[in-house]
Amino acid sequence: MIRPQLLGLALAALVAAVAPVRVLAAPLQPFLDRLVKQEKLPGAVLLVSGPQGREVVAAGFADLKTRERMTPKTRFYIASSGKLITAAATLQLVQEQRFKLTDPVFPWVKNVPGITKLRNIQTVTVEQLLQHRSGLAEYFTDDFESEAAKQPEKQWSAEESLAFAFGEKAQARPGREHIYTNTNYVLLGQLISQADRLSYAQSVQKRIFERVGMPATSIGARKEASGLAHGYTVNESNKRQDVSYSGWSAITGDGAVVTTAADYEAFLFALFRDGKLLPRKTVAQMCSVQEEDVDSGYGLGCSVQDTPWGEAWGHNGSISGFNADTWYIPKLGVSVVFMTNGDFQSDEPDLMVRAVKVYLKQ
């Protein structure tokens, strides 16, 4: 018997496959222009794509110093939205029976120097890392941020990053509660690297980027590369400060992806609609909210949000100077990708909903 949830996924994929795709006019452009102006953002890109058509628009500037305009092809650092890519690669390894979700992660990371100083690491499972139920200490602390700011071009390895959590008190017992912690996905990146005997960057390049067709996507970025969105925050002097280093130098599994809206759109469709990366049954499991804490809205690396059109699957990302939000709405067969190189002046909880309503002309 086919479960209703899996049947819904199959039907959504069939509709998306046979429905003609039209190129829309540009109702999203004035919407994005107003948003960038109201929120005083340097720039942004917004993409909405589905059976009704596809639209991608840009506004503002990618680089305030050179006055380079933002375009749909501009590459953004997407912070924790990259966790969805790490989760997909991890679940591919589970499908390949390299390990089980219930297996401890320690045998895969035991060679990290000093790893036994990470309290409770020897009992944490792969599933607990994916769900953020490990209770491990957070490495991304004020101390880490301070050190990273002193060396803006340094690429912090998994070993160097994790060291900031060594000796710190665990946040909870493994499996006890959902606590969003970047340490979990640094460890998953290391697990992927060890299982594939490649660097994390090489592994996701092979497993995800090449398989999907994401030519503009990379782990980290060189500052001299063209077409990059510089990230900006407002400093204590009320002036915009370029903090791009916070993203471009990242290379670990908790959020190191630099991509375009179109490339990430391709990833969302490949993962959630087309079944190119994981079996549909696994995707349904990935995006089922953990029963122990339904309020978390989190599955196995997949964030689940309620919308007027049912659930949206994806993952947001936020760090000083860069913000991203990514959705796939199964009942509509629609993907939404929003990326900006600045920080909101106010809360924008309805940004994605408003964008979809404009797209659907509701």
Side-chain angles (χ1 to χ4, degrees):
M1 180 179 292
I2 300 177
R3 290 188 295 163
Q5 185 178 19
L6 296 180
L7 179 60
L9 280 171
L11 290 174
L14 179 61
V15 169
V18 301
V21 176
R22 297 182 294 106
V23 177
L24 298 175
L28 286 180
Q29 188 66 63
F31 169 78
L32 185 63
D33 289 341
R34 286 193 300 271
L35 178 69
V36 168
K37 182 178 180 180
Q38 291 169 0
E39 293 296 325
K40 299 180 181 179
L41 298 170
V45 172
L46 174 64
L47 179 150
V48 187
S49 179
Q52 295 87 350
R54 180 180 186 274
E55 186 176 353
V56 55
V57 295
F61 296 92
D63 187 335
L64 293 177
K65 184 177 181 180
T66 65
R67 307 304 286 177
E68 179 183 346
R69 300 290 304 190
M70 194 72 74
T71 77
K73 294 183 179 180
T74 299
R75 300 175 66 224
F76 283 83
Y77 171 64
I78 58 171
S80 286
S81 291
K83 285 184 170 69
L84 191 59
I85 287 170
T86 298
T90 302
L91 290 170
Q92 285 178 345
L93 286 161
V94 173
Q95 288 295 311
E96 294 163 14
Q97 299 184 346
R98 303 294 299 279
F99 47 77
K100 299 177 182 178
L101 286 173
T102 53
D103 284 350
V105 73
F106 182 72
W108 295 95
V109 299
K110 63 182 180 182
N111 290 331
V112 174
I115 193 66
T116 55
K117 297 178 184 178
L118 184 59
R119 295 180 180 177
N120 294 340
I121 184 60
Q122 297 189 45
T123 57
V124 168
T125 67
V126 174
E127 183 175 42
Q128 289 166 349
L129 294 178
L130 284 165
Q131 292 181 321
H132 292 292
R133 298 188 68 85
S134 71
L136 296 172
E138 175 64 272
Y139 90 88
F140 201 91
T141 60
D142 290 343
D143 287 343
F144 175 82
E145 289 193 88
S146 176
E147 288 300 315
K150 294 175 184 177
Q151 305 176 72
E153 296 183 27
K154 176 179 172 61
Q155 292 186 322
W156 293 83
S157 67
E159 294 87 348
E160 292 170 321
S161 299
L162 290 170
F164 283 84
F166 291 169
E168 298 296 322
K169 182 180 178 180
Q171 299 181 85
R173 290 183 180 179
R176 179 63 61 87
E177 58 183 302
H178 171 86
I179 304 174
Y180 189 95
T181 307
N182 290 288
T183 301
N184 296 324
Y185 277 70
V186 175
L187 288 166
L188 288 172
Q190 191 70 5
L191 166 64
I192 294 166
S193 174
Q194 290 297 308
D196 280 343
R197 296 184 179 182
L198 298 168
S199 69
Y200 169 74
Q202 291 169 330
S203 183
V204 294
Q205 176 71 31
K206 179 180 178 181
R207 287 183 170 276
I208 309 292
F209 305 158
E210 291 179 3
R211 190 178 302 186
V212 171
M214 301 169 68
T217 303
S218 61
I219 296 301
R222 301 188 310 275
K223 67 176 183 178
E224 64 273 14
S226 61
L228 285 173
H230 286 240
Y232 298 93
T233 192
V234 177
N235 60 25
E236 296 178 355
S237 301
N238 204 33
K239 294 182 179 180
R240 280 199 174 122
Q241 178 181 351
D242 191 328
V243 291
S244 302
Y245 68 85
S246 62
W248 298 349
S249 61
I251 57 172
T252 49
D254 55 325
V257 176
V258 177
T259 190
T260 62
D263 271 19
Y264 205 90
E265 169 204 17
F267 167 66
L268 292 175
F269 279 143
L271 177 63
F272 293 137
R273 186 190 69 183
D274 302 333
K276 289 183 177 179
L277 297 175
L278 291 167
R280 300 191 191 282
K281 183 177 180 180
T282 301
V283 171
Q285 180 185 12
M286 184 183 192
C287 296
S288 294
V289 176
Q290 48 198 265
E291 295 179 357
E292 303 91 339
D293 188 353
V294 294
D295 291 337
S296 70
Y298 211 85
L300 298 171
C302 176
S303 179
V304 182
Q305 299 189 44
D306 292 327
T307 79
W309 312 279
E311 290 183 350
W313 300 344
H315 208 298
N316 66 357
S318 180
I319 193 172
S320 182
F322 292 102
N323 286 274
D325 217 340
T326 62
W327 280 9
Y328 177 73
I329 306 172
K331 287 187 178 180
L332 295 180
V334 167
S335 281
V336 190
V337 179
F338 172 79
M339 302 171 176
T340 181
N341 57 340
D343 301 323
F344 285 110
Q345 302 299 304
S346 62
D347 292 333
E348 269 293 322
D350 297 325
L351 162 64
M352 302 292 272
V353 169
R354 290 163 55 200
V356 175
K357 285 184 175 180
V358 171
Y359 169 81
L360 297 175
K361 299 181 181 178
Q362 293 183 353

